[in-house]
Amino acid sequence: MLRKFLKLFYFGLYNICVKNFPSSNSPRSLGCKLRIFFLRPFLKRAGANINIQPGVFMHSPEKVSIGNNSGVGRDSYIFASHQVEIGDNVMTGPQLFIITSTHGTDRSKPMIQQPMKFAPVKIGNDVWIGARVTILPGVSIGDGAIVGACAVVIRDVEAYSIVGGVPAKRIGARV
C-alpha cells in the first residue's frame, strides 16, 4: 500500500512540478534530464538520449516505449490505454496527440452506452511528425515516414511516405 502511494506521489510530483520545468530543445538540458529522471521508472521502455519537452502528459506511461534518440514535443498528450511504441530517431513537433482508445459506434445502442475499443499505436524508426498531429488507435507509421503538421492519422502510413491533411493522405515520398 505504501509503495503504491509513493509511486502515485512521485508521478504526481512529475505532473505538478517537473512536467513544466523549462528547458531548451536538447536532451542534455536540466529540464529534460529532470523529466526523464521522473518518467523513466514509469515508462515501459526509455531508450538512451531521449528528449521529453515541457508540458508532455502521459496517461498510463507503463504502456509507452520510447526508442533511442527520440523526442516528444512540447505540450504533447499520449493517452495510452493500449501500447504506444515510438521507435529510434523519431522527432515530433509540439502538441502531438496519440490516442489508443475510442468509443464504439453501433447504431443499436445510444452513444453513451457504447463500449470502449482499444488498439496500439506504433511509430517506426527515423520518423518526423509535425506539430499538432493526431494519431488515432490502431495506426502504424512506417520507418522513415513524415507526417505533416495538423494531420489526423486514421490509417497506417507506409514506410518513407509523406502524408498530410485531414484525414492524412499520401502526398509524396522521401527520396
Side-chain angles (χ1 to χ4, degrees), residues 94-115:
Q95 299 179 350
L96 167 69
F97 278 77
I98 298 176
I99 303 164
T100 61
S101 62
T102 188
H103 291 276
T105 56
D106 183 357
R107 287 177 58 175
S108 68
K109 292 183 184 178
M111 287 304 298
I112 200 157
Q113 295 175 2
Q114 296 291 328

Side-chain angles (χ1 to χ4, degrees), residues 81-127:
S81 298
H82 205 292
Q83 303 300 313
V84 173
E85 184 179 328
I86 299 172
D88 296 335
N89 304 304
V90 173
M91 297 187 304
T92 74
Q95 299 179 350
L96 167 69
F97 278 77
I98 298 176
I99 303 164
T100 61
S101 62
T102 188
H103 291 276
T105 56
D106 183 357
R107 287 177 58 175
S108 68
K109 292 183 184 178
M111 287 304 298
I112 200 157
Q113 295 175 2
Q114 296 291 328
M116 295 297 292
K117 296 180 180 184
F118 306 94
V121 168
K122 182 176 182 196
I123 299 170
N125 300 316
D126 187 32
V127 173

Side-chain angles (χ1 to χ4, degrees), residues 5-85:
F5 172 77
L6 288 173
K7 193 171 182 179
L8 287 172
F9 176 77
Y10 191 72
F11 192 61
L13 191 60
Y14 165 80
N15 282 311
I16 293 168
C17 299
V18 179
K19 177 177 87 171
N20 294 313
F21 196 86
S23 68
S24 65
N25 193 20
S26 167
R28 291 178 292 285
S29 70
L30 177 61
C32 186
K33 285 181 179 182
L34 280 171
R35 281 186 289 281
I36 299 307
F37 176 79
F38 274 82
L39 276 177
R40 189 174 296 278
F42 298 99
L43 293 170
K44 182 175 180 181
R45 176 176 176 261
N49 200 37
I50 62 176
N51 184 356
I52 306 295
Q53 287 293 296
V56 172
F57 178 80
M58 293 185 197
H59 176 271
S60 300
E62 69 277 4
K63 296 178 183 175
V64 177
S65 297
I66 302 174
N68 298 324
N69 307 309
S70 292
V72 180
R74 183 179 298 272
D75 298 324
S76 292
Y77 184 86
I78 299 176
F79 193 85
S81 298
H82 205 292
Q83 303 300 313
V84 173
E85 184 179 328

